[in-house]
Amino acid sequence: MDAQAWLAERTPAVNAALEAWLPGADVAPCALHAAMRHLVFPGGKRLRPALALAAAEAVGGPAEAALPMATAVELVHIYSLIHDDLPCMDDDELRRGRPTVHVAFGEATAVLAGDALQSLAFEVLLSVAEPGPAARAARDLAEAIGAAGLVGGQADDLGPDPAGLGVEHILSIHARKTAALIRVAILGGARLAGANDSRLAELAAFGREVGVAFQIADDCLDAEDEDACSLLAVEGIEASRERAEKLLDSALARLEGAGEGAEPLRALARFAVRREL
Ligand code: GRG
């Protein structure tokens, strides 16, 4: 299956949901709303939303059931990019070839735009008609992006040179900073489609491995960048690529019995790890 074709087919529904939830840039406070929209439109690959939709299909549900999760994880992803680019974090002036949000709108507005996107994510997720599974998904999302997940991973990434602390430490940062959001996108998509506990456990483990492999692949794509956290600094690019492939194999093996419905999820996992963009 062609993951990019699947992404192209499913992304319009995600874009429409994002458009429906985000206030217009002509609505006051205009600068805040424009800053919230800046990295959402045009977006990036929309990989996390696609994983949420594909997870719903993998457990036999319709992809649409996972749309609130898909929307929520993209909003969180954009929040994390805005805050990650800030001068006090990575201090980046360009993202996807455009000025970062703090460059375009100022630092204070960028912080607030990230904050508002994060809270909008929970509003979207908890606005579904049947709140039970969504409430569980919201709890998982809160855990995934807090001190035990994305924010904690980022905190360790800012700490002493992780390369000096060894492979396990770097993998732990990858697992929290990057994989936790990918894992929870898949888990939440499956939850909203009514998956049972054993499918949820299988998909959570799949998501973690794909997420770590995705980050390693990202480091390999970015080999020029001297990111201290990169595994490349410790074990080199070939061993890192091999590690990502092994994680992908292990993740795919978990879905061996999952049938045809899991094919989009398998294809997206391969794309996430082997992509060239
Ligand atoms: C500062 C709250 C806070 C979090 C920082 C996730 C994160 C932690 C920062 C984002 C920047 C970063 C380097 C994250 C690692 C994950 C990663 C490779 C993100 C890019 O994801 P893509 O390729 O982005 O899916 P697009 O542009 O396609 O949306």
Side-chain angles (χ1 to χ4, degrees):
M1 175 174 283
D2 179 351
Q4 277 173 286
W6 199 88
L7 266 169
E9 193 185 304
R10 300 308 168 107
T11 295
V14 174
N15 289 343
L18 288 164
E19 184 58 70
W21 278 100
L22 277 158
D26 54 348
V27 174
C30 298
L32 175 69
H33 293 157
M36 289 168 74
R37 298 174 70 91
H38 184 72
L39 280 182
V40 179
F41 307 112
K45 294 180 285 299
R46 306 282 197 230
L47 182 63
R48 294 156 192 79
L51 288 167
L53 302 179
E57 285 193 11
V59 299
E64 303 78 66
L67 198 52
M69 189 68 201
T71 311
V73 291
E74 188 66 6
L75 292 169
V76 167
H77 169 58
I78 303 291
Y79 134 68
S80 78
L81 298 180
I82 295 174
H83 281 200
D84 191 58
D85 289 336
L86 286 169
C88 60
M89 300 271 174
D90 269 9
D91 194 11
D92 281 318
E93 297 197 340
L94 284 177
R95 176 162 297 271
R96 305 186 194 127
R98 295 172 70 219
T100 47
V101 175
H102 66 272
V103 168
F105 297 93
E107 209 174 319
T109 301
V111 170
L112 295 173
D115 293 342
L117 287 166
Q118 183 182 181
S119 82
L120 181 60
F122 288 95
E123 185 181 343
V124 170
L125 190 48
L126 292 166
S127 293
V128 298
E130 200 196 321
R136 293 294 307 273
R139 190 216 161 273
D140 292 342
L141 181 60
E143 186 180 3
I145 70 176
L150 185 143
V151 169
Q154 176 75 355
D156 276 354
D157 201 7
L158 295 172
D161 181 355
L165 297 173
V167 169
E168 286 313 312
H169 186 75
I170 294 173
L171 291 175
S172 155
I173 291 176
H174 287 0
R176 288 172 289 147
K177 182 177 140 172
T178 307
L181 190 57
I182 286 175
R183 173 185 176 277
V184 84
I186 294 169
L187 186 61
R191 266 197 202 287
L192 296 193
N196 64 29
D197 285 349
S198 83
R199 295 306 304 278
L200 291 173
E202 167 191 296
L203 287 169
F206 168 87
R208 185 184 188 281
E209 287 173 334
V210 171
V212 173
F214 169 83
Q215 181 60 63
I216 297 173
D218 200 71
D219 290 345
C220 292
L221 280 173
D222 226 358
E224 300 296 301
D225 182 355
E226 286 170 18
D227 179 356
C229 181
S230 168
L231 261 194
L232 274 61
V234 177
E235 60 181 19
I237 194 161
E238 280 318 313
S240 294
R241 282 209 179 104
E242 230 170 81
R243 187 185 284 278
E245 278 296 320
K246 275 196 185 136
L247 282 162
L248 176 64
D249 285 349
S250 167
L252 292 172
R254 295 178 189 278
L255 298 192
E256 250 158 33
E260 267 302 292
E263 207 39 43
L265 192 54
R266 294 187 192 99
L268 287 170
R270 287 190 200 97
F271 169 71
V273 179
R274 296 178 182 157
R275 73 194 196 281
E276 283 166 15
L277 62 155

